[in-house]
Amino acid sequence: MTKIKIGQVGLGRLGKVHAENIVNHVKGAELFAVASVVEQELAYAKDELGVKNCYTSYSEMIENDELDAVVIVSPSGFHAVQISQALDKGLHVFSEKPIGLELDNIKQVVEKINSHSDKVFQLGFMRRFDDSYQFAKDVVQNGELGKITAMRCYGIDPSAGLDSFIQFAKNSASGGIFLDMSIHDIDLVRWFTGSEFKTVYSLGNNIAAPELTECEELETGACLAELDDGTIAYLLAGRNAQHGYHVETEIIGTEGMIRIGNAPEKNLVTLYDKNGVVRPTSGHFPERFKLAFINEINAFIESINNNVPSSITGIDGLKSTEVAIAMQESYEKKTIIKL
Ligand code: NAI
């Protein structure tokens, strides 16, 4: 079978993960080209991953007529325009979350995605491809929890990654904690409930990392929300988990409840030593979602080969962004926002 030729833009914190996955774990694809503004990253792609076509400009990369698809892992502010440019070139598109930072641009790009229905578009909500989340989805879909009444979502980055985040935030706008982090939980709430957010009320602080105030970021952001079907959702995002990378989701239903990652285990090991009974934790997102990142790109390639739409659409990108922007507005105005 001929391999899908991918051009990837961005080789930073997550870009390297995707690039290595495509080279080592995605049989149906070839990392044919890369684009980055950092020379060392291009040297790494050429020398360590054997990528033949290296560009300092995304626009130049997508001029390469041999490409079939792009994988966009650039800073969030570039996503909407890069998706649009790729579709204009007739390429399939996988883009990291969020789909964009501004609603007007996102609406335009979603229209474009919808009008290019022969091209696969997939957004990087990789948690949907994680084994545990898929297991929980089956439990919910089979009705084992009854009707969902409430969800609680924690997404807290490790304190060990705080310096690297500050660098990331200084280099380019992340969109703020709700657009950068809560967006994964917003997507999960929409995915599990099949319902849309109706109202949001958010709070935030920088008690744990006052230095984030300088780059107009929050260390902790929390939101209480109501969905159209009455479900209550509590979403907490943070950047200061001392114990590691803490992603936890709780779904409470009329017939039972489920928790995913209530202790963010690294593996099945329990260590008994002078510190007591210790469960090692996952250290960062590439570790916790290692397989999910591989699965999502394999699913993208499968959609291209089978000529079927991906399960994560432009509408998912738009809806989740609308909620995240409302959460940010609620925090700034200290008021409940209706969607
Ligand atoms: P980063 O700052 O580490 O890397 C950004 C990369 O984009 C660098 O390789 C840089 O050279 C390149 N770049 C910047 N401007 C460019 C331009 N004009 N043209 C071409 N390349 C350009 O960022 P990081 O952490 O890798 O994040 C990238 C994206 O991935 C963000 O949108 C972020 O939201 C998303 N992300 C998603 C995660 C997930 O859980 N799904 C986790 C981490 C990041």
Side-chain angles (χ1 to χ4, degrees):
M1 197 175 64
T2 33
K3 291 192 174 196
I4 300 295
K5 290 192 168 77
I6 292 182
Q8 178 177 313
V9 58
L11 288 164
R13 291 186 312 168
L14 180 57
K16 286 200 174 75
V17 174
H18 279 309
E20 285 172 24
N21 286 343
I22 294 165
V23 171
N24 297 316
H25 301 292
V26 181
K27 287 204 176 79
E30 175 188 352
L31 189 57
F32 185 76
V34 289
S36 163
V37 291
V38 179
E39 285 293 342
Q40 294 97 307
E41 292 177 353
L42 293 174
Y44 150 84
K46 185 164 171 269
D47 300 340
E48 292 183 38
L49 301 178
V51 181
K52 294 194 185 79
N53 305 289
C54 298
Y55 297 87
T56 49
S57 149
Y58 173 75
S59 306
E60 275 176 35
M61 179 180 81
I62 60 173
E63 289 295 331
N64 190 316
D65 287 337
E66 287 189 65
L67 284 181
D68 299 304
V70 289
V71 166
I72 298 173
V73 206
S74 54
S76 305
F78 292 111
H79 295 179
V81 67
Q82 290 177 339
I83 293 167
S84 181
Q85 284 177 283
L87 288 171
D88 283 341
K89 284 274 158 204
L91 298 166
H92 302 283
V93 179
F94 174 93
S95 171
E96 259 315 319
K97 46 57 60 173
I99 191 168
L101 296 181
E102 285 157 14
L103 281 179
D104 285 348
N105 294 345
I106 297 171
K107 282 179 185 157
Q108 281 171 12
V109 88
V110 170
E111 267 180 34
K112 186 167 275 189
I113 290 167
N114 291 343
S115 68
H116 287 72
S117 54
D118 57 325
K119 296 294 157 202
V120 173
F121 171 81
Q122 184 177 322
L123 197 64
F125 286 135
M126 79 295 182
R127 291 187 195 173
R128 294 199 197 189
F129 294 91
D130 173 73
D131 283 353
S132 302
Y133 281 98
Q134 289 194 336
F135 183 89
K137 177 73 174 170
D138 287 344
V139 169
V140 169
Q141 250 169 354
N142 294 340
E144 291 172 56
L145 296 191
K147 285 190 176 152
I148 297 176
T149 61
M151 284 186 66
R152 176 178 62 86
C153 308
Y154 285 1
I156 314 175
D157 273 349
S159 346
L162 195 58
D163 287 345
S164 126
F165 168 72
I166 291 172
Q167 204 46 50
F168 165 78
K170 280 183 179 160
N171 286 346
S172 57
S174 79
I177 197 159
F178 301 111
L179 254 167
D180 190 40
M181 295 192 69
S182 303
I183 197 135
H184 281 297
D185 288 320
I186 296 166
D187 181 61
L188 287 180
V189 171
R190 293 184 61 252
W191 189 50
F192 278 112
T193 61
S195 186
E196 298 296 344
F197 281 70
K198 189 160 80 178
T199 57
V200 296
Y201 180 61
S202 308
L203 296 168
N205 68 51
N206 272 339
I207 295 166
E211 62 271 36
L212 286 181
T213 309
E214 263 176 51
C215 28
E216 299 184 8
E217 288 281 351
L218 285 173
E219 183 281 316
T220 291
C223 172
L224 190 61
E226 186 182 17
L227 276 79
D228 284 338
D229 68 357
T231 302
I232 298 163
Y234 174 66
L235 291 76
L236 181 133
R239 304 199 184 270
N240 187 44
Q242 295 288 342
H243 56 287
Y245 177 58
H246 192 122
V247 169
E248 177 185 358
T249 307
E250 181 174 41
I251 307 167
I252 302 178
T254 52
E255 303 295 326
M257 56 196 268
I258 201 166
R259 285 185 183 168
I260 307 148
N262 58 325
E265 292 99 341
K266 190 182 193 70
N267 48 37
L268 294 177
V269 171
T270 304
L271 178 66
Y272 302 80
D273 69 1
K274 62 182 184 311
N275 298 315
V277 181
V278 179
R279 297 295 326 273
T281 48
S282 66
H284 37 65
F285 67 82
E287 180 187 15
R288 167 64 183 88
F289 290 108
K290 186 176 181 351
L291 288 178
F293 284 122
I294 295 171
N295 293 344
E296 69 177 352
I297 301 292
N298 274 313
F300 174 60
I301 299 301
E302 224 174 279
S303 293
I304 295 172
N305 284 331
N306 297 336
N307 201 13
V308 292
S310 110
S311 57
I312 308 177
T313 63
I315 297 293
D316 291 318
L318 173 64
K319 290 283 180 191
S320 55
T321 314
E322 276 174 348
V323 178
I325 288 173
M327 283 162 71
Q328 181 71 30
E329 190 185 346
S330 170
Y331 160 70
E332 284 166 10
K333 296 187 176 159
K334 292 228 173 299
T335 186
I336 296 174
I337 301 289
K338 281 194 174 155
L339 281 122

